[in-house]
Amino acid sequence: MSAPLFEKIALVGIGLIGSSLARVIRREGLASHIAIATRSPETLKRAEELGLGGSYSTNAAEAVKDADLVIVSVPVGSSGTVAEEIAPALKAGAILTDVGSTKGSVIAQMKPHVPAGVHFIPGHPLAGTEKSGPDAGFAELFENRWCILTPLPDTDPEAVEKLSEFWRRCGSNIDTMDPEHHDMVLAIVSHLPHIIAYNIVGTADDLAAVTKSEVIKYSASGFRDFTRIAASDPTMWRDVCLHNKDAILEMLARFSEDLASLQRAIRWGDGEKLFDLFTRTRAIRRSIIEAGQEIDAPDFGRQVVAHPEKLAKS
Ligand code: NAP
């Protein structure tokens, strides 16, 4: 194990992402001290039982005092409130980052509170599961996943490099891009698929003609794969929808157009069109497997590789 990258890391929010960070920071020896803060005494108690940190508080300002790196891992709609709460306690020279799934909105909420001398570098690890809370995390979550940083134009490059090194030591590959681009890309690769999954599972749930027991009994026909995504945390996804509104509406408009065209092909028996589309999409799946972002196994494969014991529970 090499020397700690930071003396003190403060984790504000200790759910799936925060607790996975705590576990990998400890495993890799990335900090001499991990301070943990969360809003509720129940979650804090659980984090303490799991031994995720060195100190625990429901007061985020107290936890970030003297920290060299502060990572905010709360639902994106709460980023501004958290930034306001911790701002007066942030140490000059500290790096402040977040893991939120939207970037434009998080920057708009947090930046006005960030004191001069603190390096604010927004970030987003493209790693997750449908589970939440401190029990759901695991140290391998970020392995071979991308972490996108969206540094602001005046950010100190040395601070960006230090944060990039942190994520590399967590197992991730780093990309940097501007926040607007991030929000557009994530709208198509993550936000739209979640909205489609929520929608299709909702539609099946509403169907009076098909009983619920049949939906569940025959779910392996395809439906099941959507239910995993549609089991994702409602608070997190409500906030994502509300905080990446423009990009999501743009992608939904394109999606609806394409769906209408598909509907037309089915109505008019245009088999060639259907076959061409289904062939094109199959190639995308192959590229994802070749890029090492998935294995060629059913059930999305992810947990089989990353965390075999969790598979049994899911
Ligand atoms: P999570 O497991 O539900 O944990 C959320 C944490 O935030 C908990 O510590 C919770 O505290 C705290 N929190 C909730 N509401 C809060 C509020 N109003 N004010 C202050 N703290 C609050 O969530 P997660 O999956 O770790 O997600 C955290 C962030 O990571 C989100 O911004 C999400 O967009 C992003 N992200 C998630 C994924 C994913 O797949 N889950 C992937 C990449 C990025 P209490 O339990 O004490 O209330």
Side-chain angles (χ1 to χ4, degrees):
M1 204 180 288
S2 37
L5 261 185
F6 296 95
E7 258 318 295
K8 175 176 173 181
I9 297 181
L11 300 174
V12 180
I14 197 70
L16 169 71
I17 302 293
S19 74
S20 295
L21 282 167
R23 289 169 168 104
V24 68
I25 291 167
R26 171 154 295 189
R27 188 191 70 190
E28 296 299 314
L30 300 179
S32 307
H33 182 81
I34 306 173
I36 287 174
T38 192
R39 178 178 63 152
S40 71
E42 296 74 28
T43 304
L44 193 71
K45 182 164 171 274
R46 190 60 195 139
E48 198 163 0
E49 282 164 4
L50 292 165
L52 295 176
S55 59
Y56 302 86
S57 179
T58 48
N59 182 334
E62 188 181 298
V64 306
K65 212 166 150 261
D66 298 324
D68 311 286
L69 173 64
V70 175
I71 309 178
V72 175
S73 310
V74 302
V76 289
S78 309
S79 326
T81 319
V82 168
E84 187 175 9
E85 191 185 340
I86 62 176
L90 291 169
K91 175 169 110 170
I95 296 175
L96 169 65
T97 188
D98 78 302
V99 298
S101 307
T102 69
K103 295 277 57 91
S105 151
V106 165
I107 293 168
Q109 292 177 73
M110 290 183 77
K111 189 157 187 304
H113 301 291
V114 180
V118 169
H119 306 288
F120 174 45
I121 311 171
H124 179 201
L126 305 195
T129 74
E130 69 283 15
K131 310 272 169 62
S132 21
D135 284 284
F138 50 100
E140 299 80 9
L141 180 65
F142 309 107
E143 245 159 58
N144 198 27
R145 295 286 170 251
W146 287 96
C147 180
I148 299 177
L149 301 180
T150 61
L152 307 172
D154 55 351
T155 312
D156 175 10
E158 257 182 54
V160 176
E161 177 45 36
K162 189 147 190 200
L163 184 61
S164 303
E165 180 58 19
F166 169 81
W167 278 109
R168 281 194 286 269
R169 305 251 298 253
C170 292
S172 296
N173 306 310
I174 310 298
D175 246 349
T176 53
M177 59 182 71
D178 66 59
E180 296 74 27
H181 189 69
H182 166 279
D183 288 353
M184 192 55 89
V185 171
L186 267 292
I188 186 67
V189 299
S190 170
H191 307 169
L192 196 63
H194 277 80
I195 291 166
I196 293 167
Y198 281 123
N199 191 56
I200 193 172
V201 176
T203 304
D205 190 45
D206 289 342
L207 277 181
V210 182
T211 68
K212 258 191 198 147
S213 65
E214 277 174 315
V215 168
I216 290 164
K217 185 170 161 191
Y218 302 127
S219 63
S221 326
F223 183 70
R224 187 181 63 178
D225 289 344
F226 286 101
T227 62
R228 187 190 66 81
I229 299 183
S232 298
D233 189 70
T235 305
M236 171 184 160
W237 284 97
R238 175 203 62 197
D239 280 14
V240 169
C241 290
L242 298 179
H243 289 268
N244 196 20
K245 187 173 161 180
D246 293 346
I248 290 175
L249 288 177
E250 163 72 21
M251 291 306 161
L252 269 175
R254 283 170 181 246
F255 173 80
S256 305
E257 262 178 44
D258 291 343
L259 189 62
S261 152
L262 196 57
Q263 192 174 0
R264 204 176 152 75
I266 296 169
R267 183 179 312 285
W268 295 104
D270 188 348
E272 200 179 330
K273 185 172 177 146
L274 296 175
F275 189 84
D276 285 351
L277 174 67
F278 301 164
T279 306
R280 192 150 58 89
T281 54
R282 202 175 206 193
I284 300 246
R285 166 89 186 160
R286 266 199 302 275
S287 324
I288 291 171
I289 293 165
E290 278 160 26
Q293 294 298 303
E294 176 63 298
I295 60 165
D296 197 4
D299 260 352
F300 292 90
R302 261 169 225 133
Q303 300 186 356
V304 182
V305 191
H307 215 56
E309 73 277 14
K310 295 236 161 189
L311 188 69
K313 286 189 206 157
S314 58

